[in-house]
């Protein structure tokens, strides 16, 4: 590995490729959300699966900034998908914390990788944001016309305000599980092939 | 299904729109289509946003795609507007999912497709450079957009191989199935990303000097027209 801390073109390309992979996995899994109950659990289910490509990405990360840029791009993508703007800030914050945890582990320790996977998945909280706080009423009203009253009623009854904090916890736990699954997959498939 | 899912255009003359206006178009269309309701003023805004990708397809001369697009939207809007009110229960759910999926996601995807198809990577990067976006963001972004179709392609090949060896389907459970699908995709991702970095190095990316380019980027009359239209839609959408 290069000693310098500046990001090389190889790192930037790795970020791009793995962000694409991460986003595709995330996007496919998030289609589960069309079932109302599962939509609430989405911040729990998504990180479990998305943790696998994330852990693979971490095997390529040795410099400060790579996880942060990934989080920024994911945040921007979510913004384009029509979520409220704080998603970008949440994503940047989550990315920065995940980055710092990794740095504390010298980018090598598996434990800090798993922990950072948990923290990194908190960027997905932005997805659930419209359901809570100031956005709630207008968001639900908008959903009624698009998704139907039955869907919205189920959704509303499942999400009192405290659920937001429960979701943060769920998301974190999901990320940790995802990290563990990811490192298991890496051990099973990639170590053997000399790719991790 | 042998869909052609190229993102950035490979060669050719200057693109129809300035990449910056194109990105604003994607942003606006997806904000309105995904987040908007289907009553009141939002209805008209959504109508505008449905038509924009259609114009893009016509401008690119993708006639068949344009016809399919128009038909699908007529279908989805009818589902949302009329059939939806007349049904209830499980059937209502089906109508909601079908109509909602098509009307909410199809327009942004097609808009993105149009902009990408008419923009080269060089133009995209040049336009981003004009906006003073650092290369630490532009390079991953352009690699990422270039990579989405690659993933689709790899995934298709893997699914085909699985079908040939008769390991497809859910016979061994969802988790196994996901492992069989995801691990090979990740394997090829790693390999392709290595190859890409080598290719980029041979093209001289990553040096410290400023790269030059021969593509013209700048606003023309049509860019300004679209810019005004998009801003109007966006303002109306946010304000109301």
């Amino acid at each position: 590995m290069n000693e310098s801390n500046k990001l090389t073109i190889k790192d930037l390309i790795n970020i791009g490729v793995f962000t694409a992979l991460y986003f595709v996995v995330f996007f496919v899994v998030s289609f589960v959300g069309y079932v109302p109950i599962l939509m609430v659990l989405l911040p729990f289910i998504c990180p479990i699966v998305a943790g696998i490509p994330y852990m693979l990405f971490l095997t390529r990360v040795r410099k400060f900034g790579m996880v942060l840029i990934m989080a920024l791009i994911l945040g921007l993508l979510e913004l384009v998908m029509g979520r409220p703007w704080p998603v970008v800030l949440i994503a940047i914050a989550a990315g920065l914390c995940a980055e710092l945890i990794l740095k504390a582990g010298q980018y090598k320790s598996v434990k800090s990788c798993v922990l950072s996977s948990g923290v990194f998945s908190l960027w997905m909280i932005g997805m659930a944001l419209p359901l809570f706080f100031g956005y709630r009423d207008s968001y639900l009203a908008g959903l009624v016309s698009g998704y139907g009253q039955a869907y919205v009623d189920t959704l509303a009854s499942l999400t009192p305000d405290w659920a937001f904090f429960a979701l943060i916890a769920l998301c974190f736990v999901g990320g940790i599980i995802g990290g563990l699954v990811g490192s298991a997959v890496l051990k099973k498939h990639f170590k053997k092939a000399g790719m991790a | 299904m042998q869909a052609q899912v190229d993102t950035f255009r490979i060669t050719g003359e200057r693109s129809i729109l300035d990449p910056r206006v194109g990105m604003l178009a994607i942003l606006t269309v997806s904000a309105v289509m995904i987040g908007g309701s289907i009553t009141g003023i939002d209805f008209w805004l959504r109508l505008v946003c449905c038509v924009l990708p259609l114009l893009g397809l016509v401008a690119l001369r993708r006639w068949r795609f344009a016809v399919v697009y128009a038909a699908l939207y007529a279908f989805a809007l009818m589902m949302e507007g009329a059939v939806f009110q007349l049904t209830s229960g499980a059937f209502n759910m089906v109508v909601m999912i079908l109509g909602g999926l098509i009307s909410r996601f199809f327009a942004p995807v097609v808009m993105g497709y149009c902009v990408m198809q008419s923009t080269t990577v060089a133009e995209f990067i040049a336009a981003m450079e004009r906006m003073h976006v650092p290369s630490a963001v532009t390079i991953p972004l352009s690699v990422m957009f270039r990579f989405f179709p690659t993933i689709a392609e790899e995934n298709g090949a893997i699914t085909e191989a699985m079908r040939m060896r008769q390991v497809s389907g859910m016979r061994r459970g969802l988790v196994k199935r996901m492992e069989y699908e995801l691990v090979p995709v990740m394997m090829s991702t790693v390999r392709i990303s290595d190859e890409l970095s080598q290719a980029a190095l041979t093209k001289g990316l990553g040096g410290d000097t400023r790269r030059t380019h021969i593509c013209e980027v700048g606003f023309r009359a049509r860019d300004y027209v679209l810019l005004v239209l998009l801003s109007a839609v966006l303002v109306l959408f946010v304000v109301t």
Side-chain angles (χ1 to χ4, degrees):
Chain A
M1 265 300 149
N2 201 334
E3 283 304 305
S4 85
N5 266 331
K6 209 164 162 284
L7 294 178
T8 61
I9 189 75
K10 195 169 163 34
D11 299 325
L12 294 180
I13 287 176
N14 270 328
I15 297 173
V17 165
F18 281 98
T19 310
L21 184 66
Y22 186 94
F23 190 73
V24 166
V25 170
F26 164 75
F27 194 73
V28 169
V29 175
S30 68
F31 268 103
V32 176
Y34 263 87
V35 186
I37 305 165
L38 291 178
M39 177 167 180
V40 180
L41 283 179
L42 216 51
F44 178 64
I45 301 167
C46 279
I48 294 182
V49 186
I52 301 169
Y54 181 74
M55 289 303 278
L56 185 62
F57 174 58
L58 289 189
T59 63
R60 308 254 140 176
V61 174
R62 292 288 178 269
K63 288 169 197 162
F64 191 81
M66 289 178 74
V67 175
L68 188 59
I69 293 175
M70 186 175 183
L72 172 69
I73 293 177
L74 287 172
L76 287 178
L77 276 177
E78 278 299 291
L79 184 70
V80 168
M81 305 266 297
R83 317 280 179 193
W85 58 268
V87 271
V88 182
L89 298 185
I90 293 176
I92 292 176
L96 191 63
C97 294
E99 185 87 61
L100 290 173
I101 291 172
L102 274 181
K103 198 170 168 61
Q106 303 292 316
Y107 293 96
K108 277 183 202 123
S109 127
V110 177
K111 249 184 231 154
S112 70
C113 279
V114 171
L115 195 60
S116 106
S117 160
V119 174
F120 186 79
S121 15
L122 291 181
W123 77 272
M124 293 180 194
I125 281 298
M127 289 199 316
L129 200 62
L131 271 177
F132 301 96
F133 308 118
Y135 298 103
R136 184 181 177 89
D137 292 333
S138 60
Y139 182 68
L140 287 179
L143 281 182
V144 170
S145 57
Y147 290 71
Q149 191 66 49
Y151 182 92
V152 171
D153 284 345
T154 326
L155 199 59
S157 67
L158 281 168
T159 53
D161 263 352
W162 58 263
F164 186 67
F165 301 99
L167 276 188
I168 294 181
L170 271 182
C171 194
F172 182 71
V173 173
I176 297 279
I177 297 175
L180 291 174
V181 172
S183 59
V185 169
L186 286 189
K187 204 177 271 168
K188 184 175 171 194
H189 292 284
F190 289 84
K191 290 264 158 60
K192 234 178 358 198
M195 286 170 128
Chain B
M1 195 182 74
Q2 195 63 19
Q4 197 65 35
V5 276
D6 292 323
T7 45
F8 285 114
R9 198 175 47 154
I10 311 299
T11 50
E13 68 286 5
R14 194 173 163 186
S15 67
I16 308 166
L17 286 174
D18 185 272
R20 285 163 284 183
V21 178
M23 298 219 296
L24 184 66
I26 299 178
L27 191 75
T28 312
V29 169
S30 52
V32 172
M33 291 314 281
I34 297 178
S37 68
I38 57 170
T39 48
I41 191 159
D42 275 10
F43 174 77
W44 298 105
L45 295 181
R46 280 176 71 104
L47 212 58
V48 172
C49 289
C50 293
V51 173
L52 274 180
L54 186 63
L55 290 180
L57 288 175
V58 170
L60 287 167
R61 297 198 183 80
R62 301 284 145 82
W63 305 116
R64 269 176 58 197
F65 197 165
V67 170
V68 170
Y69 175 84
L72 266 179
Y73 254 92
F75 170 74
L77 289 181
M78 208 172 68
M79 284 287 217
E80 276 191 338
V83 184
F84 185 64
Q85 262 82 32
L86 301 174
T87 55
S88 59
F91 187 62
N92 183 291
M93 199 80 151
V94 173
V95 169
M96 179 276 281
I97 291 176
L98 257 180
L101 265 185
I102 297 174
S103 86
R104 275 169 200 279
F105 291 104
F106 198 46
V109 169
V110 173
M111 193 70 234
Y113 170 84
C114 289
V115 172
M116 298 268 170
Q117 279 287 293
S118 65
T119 313
T120 58
V121 180
E123 270 176 327
F124 173 75
I125 289 182
M128 292 302 260
E129 230 168 52
R130 285 275 178 88
M131 287 165 71
H132 301 283
V133 180
S135 66
V137 176
T138 54
I139 293 177
L141 260 183
S142 48
V143 170
M144 183 183 74
F145 284 121
R146 179 64 197 80
F147 204 69
F148 282 134
T150 312
I151 291 183
E153 210 174 279
E154 293 288 319
N155 192 42
I158 288 159
T159 316
E160 220 158 78
M162 280 165 69
R163 203 180 304 138
M164 203 167 74
R165 294 169 195 208
Q166 300 182 331
V167 280
S168 58
M170 293 289 180
R171 230 172 306 143
R172 306 209 192 163
L174 187 63
V175 174
K176 273 279 171 209
R177 161 80 206 211
M178 265 162 47
E179 186 185 345
Y180 291 161
E181 191 98 38
L182 194 56
V183 169
V185 171
M186 295 200 325
M187 290 268 186
S188 51
T189 303
V190 172
R191 204 194 56 239
I192 292 170
S193 108
D194 287 343
E195 287 169 4
L196 260 182
S197 352
Q198 281 152 15
L201 276 183
T202 54
K203 285 182 184 172
L205 255 96
D208 287 328
T209 47
R210 208 182 124 82
R211 279 167 61 82
T212 55
H213 54 78
I214 55 164
C215 45
E216 300 171 69
V217 215
F219 281 31
R220 284 168 294 178
R222 51 186 132 171
D223 294 313
Y224 283 113
V225 171
L226 198 57
L227 189 64
V228 170
L229 178 72
L230 287 171
S231 319
V233 168
L234 209 54
V235 166
L236 275 175
F237 180 67
V238 173
V239 168
T240 54

